[in-house]
Amino acid sequence: MEGTIDGFRYGAVTPVAAYLMACLGGALGLRCIVRTLLSNQSWKAGWLALGAASIGCGIWTMHFIAMIGFQVVETRIRYNAGLTVLSLVVAIVVVGIGVFIVGYRGASTLNLSFAGVITGLGVAAMHYLGMAALHLNGTIRYGATAVALSVVIAIVAATAALWAAVTIRGFMTSLGASLIMGVAVTGMHYTGMSAVSVHVHGRTGGSWAGDSPTSLLLPMLLGPVIFLLLAGVVVMFDPLLVLGDGDWNRSSASTESTAPQSDPLFENQEDRVVHARAPQDPQWAAPHGPHR
């Protein structure tokens, strides 16, 4: 028989929390990528890796927070721990590939398209790997149209996020971009979930192997959440990341305007010394005639 699916077991709590985590990961990731563009002296690979890990953790955390609210009324749900961890690794690695492509090769149309497709497919792969980790007393089926639409949304969202990362510099504009990114990523998840149907087996059949959502997901979510909080601390204490490009330039200009200005009449320090000696040294008066 067909199972009764409920994706909002706890009401608006899980989708709102999932959206906020997607926004947090996106915001931190975008700011870390911007950091490599604001200063040539920064450790580029490190900041790009931190940005990729932040976005990947944000997307993965969004998915499994939303999955806490997922249930099939007629059967219990368990999770395979290995596939759950693998989905996190996939999320970080594929986002990293896209981030490093635009970070090192530039944001041309070709690079953005290529990186966006890879990243979007990786995000979709993370989602469906996470779904493959489900163990329940039934068979999960997917509607082809909704699956295809979720993949398209993932690719478009990934491309837009990468474009925003290398184009938008200001803090507030990056924040706005992360909010839009959160909508896209969360929308991709629930579009994919709308494709799901479950054919429930008889009460005595099926496999019950695996961990329950609360015993597996909640402890596993602590790691990525703590990582995102630590990444947030790094962002908060870096002035370039907080100020953004335009604000940083204005700050630098203000600092330069208060610094001592050099005298345009003299090319170097030696000229200053010569000028200072002239009034006291009689030999400097000789070319202008004898003293009277």
Side-chain angles (χ1 to χ4, degrees):
M1 67 176 178
E2 290 299 311
T4 305
I5 295 176
D6 182 7
F8 304 95
R9 182 178 183 178
Y10 301 104
V13 174
T14 49
V16 170
Y19 169 73
L20 292 177
M21 293 309 300
C23 291
L24 176 61
L28 294 176
L30 294 180
R31 297 311 295 164
C32 289
I33 297 170
V34 166
R35 179 63 169 82
T36 67
L37 305 175
L38 297 181
S39 174
N40 293 327
Q41 299 177 352
S42 63
W43 183 32
K44 192 169 189 175
W47 284 110
L48 290 176
L50 181 60
S54 297
I55 295 174
C57 284
I59 294 172
W60 184 89
T61 305
M62 174 278 301
H63 172 83
F64 282 102
I65 286 178
M67 290 305 296
I68 291 176
F70 175 80
Q71 69 169 342
V72 180
V73 176
E74 292 81 5
T75 176
R76 291 174 293 174
I77 295 177
R78 297 289 185 265
Y79 285 86
N80 179 290
L83 285 177
T84 303
V85 173
L86 179 61
S87 66
L88 173 60
V89 174
V90 168
I92 294 175
V93 169
V94 295
V95 171
I97 292 173
V99 165
F100 272 78
I101 288 175
V102 297
Y104 279 98
R105 299 181 63 87
S108 66
T109 302
L110 179 61
N111 288 337
L112 273 176
S113 300
F114 181 61
V117 169
I118 290 178
T119 306
L121 290 176
V123 170
M126 179 280 300
H127 173 86
Y128 290 105
L129 268 175
M131 293 300 296
L134 270 68
H135 285 180
L136 46 76
N137 186 26
T139 302
I140 298 177
R141 297 170 179 170
Y142 297 93
T145 302
V147 169
L149 181 58
S150 70
V151 173
V152 170
I153 293 174
I155 292 174
V156 172
T159 304
L162 293 173
W163 173 84
V166 296
T167 304
I168 297 174
R169 305 292 182 87
F171 179 77
M172 295 306 297
T173 49
S174 289
L175 180 60
S178 69
L179 295 177
I180 297 173
M181 180 181 171
V183 171
V185 172
T186 308
M188 179 275 298
H189 170 83
Y190 283 105
T191 300
M193 294 307 296
S194 70
V196 174
S197 62
V198 177
H199 178 75
V200 180
H201 298 152
R203 291 184 178 275
T204 59
S207 172
W208 299 98
D211 299 297
S212 67
T214 53
S215 65
L216 175 69
L217 295 184
L218 290 180
M220 287 191 68
L221 286 170
L222 288 178
V225 170
I226 291 173
F227 172 82
L228 290 174
L229 293 177
L230 292 177
V233 171
V234 173
V235 169
M236 288 173 59
F237 283 93
D238 190 292
L240 270 179
L241 287 173
V242 174
L243 290 176
D245 186 43
D247 296 332
W248 178 261
N249 289 337
R250 287 193 291 272
S251 176
S252 299
S254 175
T255 302
E256 292 174 0
S257 66
T258 60
Q261 301 295 317
S262 61
D263 192 337
L265 295 176
F266 306 108
E267 295 290 332
N268 51 46
Q269 186 65 24
E270 184 179 346
D271 289 340
R272 292 179 179 274
V273 174
V274 170
H275 177 69
R277 290 177 54 196
Q280 291 80 21
D281 197 335
Q283 66 176 326
W284 293 97
H288 303 286
H291 289 284
R292 294 176 181 267

